[in-house]
Amino acid sequence: MPKINLGLLLKNIKRLLIFAITIRISHATYATAPCVSTPEDLRIALTTAASNGEDDEIKIVQGTYMGHFVANGTDNVFLSL
């Protein structure tokens, strides 16, 4: 059975984690975060989020929003409200 260089393995795992975190941070930096204040703006933002193939964040001004709001997407991404 071959010997495993534990130090080298840990060093490579650390590099991989730093790379993954850097990619995630850089992706979040470029994401748009619309701020909505009306039911119609919320509908538009949800429709856009469902079809753009990117992780999305929608900021909502505090208040009451009456209506039927749906975010149906087929992409495997995150939506944060």
Side-chain angles (χ1 to χ4, degrees):
M1 181 170 190
K3 291 185 179 181
I4 297 174
N5 183 334
L6 189 57
L8 183 60
L9 179 64
L10 291 174
K11 184 189 248 185
N12 286 331
I13 290 172
K14 181 180 175 183
R15 286 181 182 167
L16 181 60
L17 287 173
I18 290 171
F19 177 73
I21 291 168
T22 302
I23 293 297
R24 182 67 186 153
I25 289 171
S26 67
H27 177 72
T29 304
Y30 295 106
T32 58
C35 185
V36 299
S37 60
T38 67
E40 186 57 29
D41 287 345
L42 180 55
R43 278 189 200 91
I44 292 169
L46 288 170
T47 300
T48 301
S51 63
N52 67 5
E54 299 176 1
D55 292 346
D56 291 281
E57 176 183 12
I58 301 171
K59 296 180 180 182
I60 303 173
V61 174
Q62 183 176 352
T64 302
Y65 295 81
M66 305 284 288
H68 182 72
F69 305 102
V70 179
N72 286 330
T74 56
D75 45 359
N76 189 20
V77 295
F78 295 98
L79 173 61
S80 174
L81 298 174

